[in-house]
Amino acid sequence: SQTIHQWPATLVQPVGSPLSLECTVEGTSNPNLYWYRQAAGRGLQLLFYSVGIGQISSEVPQNLSASRPQDRQFILSSKKLLLSDSGFYLCAWSQFGGYTGELFFGEGSRLTVL
Amino acid sequence: GIQVEQSPPDLILQEGANSTLRCNFSDSVNNLQWFHQNPWGQLINLFYIPSGTKQNGRLSATTVATERYSLLYISSSQTTDSGVYFCADFNSGGSNYKLTFGKGTLLTVNP
C-alpha cells in the first residue's frame, strides 16, 4: 500500500532563517506531488505541484521554492523566512494521470515564524 | 478556475444528531473528494465520489454532477466527528492537476 510522510511535524524558526520541509511517498512510482498551505482561517492554498522529477509548477509567487530531486521526494524550501510564511504545510500525492484519482495527504508540518 | 462553496460554514450538534453538509461547484464536477481534518490537522480521505452515492458506516455522500453539487451525510454523530470537512475538485478548463478546495465546514459535536 502507498504511504506518504512529511517532516518535521513542528518547527519554530526565526525570521530570515532558511526552511526545508521534506516529503516522501512509498509504494507507488511517478506520482503527482503537491505542497499546500493552510493559514489560520481554514483555507487550503496550493503552492506547488510536480508531475515528474525536476518538473515544478508554482501557483503563488512568494519566497518559497520546491524541488523534486527524486521520483518520490518533494522538498519545500525557503532561503529567508517571513512572518507571513507561518502556517500548516501539507504534502500530498496522487496517481500520475491527472484527470482521475484521489489525493492523499501527509501528516502536515506546522511552521511558526517568530 | 472552478469555485467551490461549502455550507454551512459552521455547525454545532449534540451527539446522536444527524447532519448534511453541502458543496456547490461553479463548473462541471470531475473528481470530487470529501475530507475530514481532525483536531491534529491531518486530512483524512472520506470519499472519492465524482458521481453517485457511496456509504461508509455512519457517513454517506452523494454527488449530482449534472447539477454541480455534492452532499455529505453524517448520521448519529459522535464527538470524534468534530473537525473541519472539506470538499474539493479538480479545476476544469485549466490544469487538471490542481485540486481546488472549499473553505470547509467546521463541525462541533458536543457530548
Side-chain angles (χ1 to χ4, degrees), chain A residues 14-29:
Chain A
V15 169
S17 64
L19 171 72
S20 181
L21 301 178
E22 189 165 341
C23 172
T24 60
V25 180
E26 297 177 359
T28 188
S29 60

Side-chain angles (χ1 to χ4, degrees), chain B residues 41-59:
Chain B
Q42 191 167 9
L43 278 163
I44 308 298
N45 290 51
L46 295 178
F47 294 101
Y48 169 62
I49 184 166
S51 63
T53 297
K54 289 186 178 180
Q55 182 158 5
N56 184 3
R58 296 180 295 104
L59 273 61

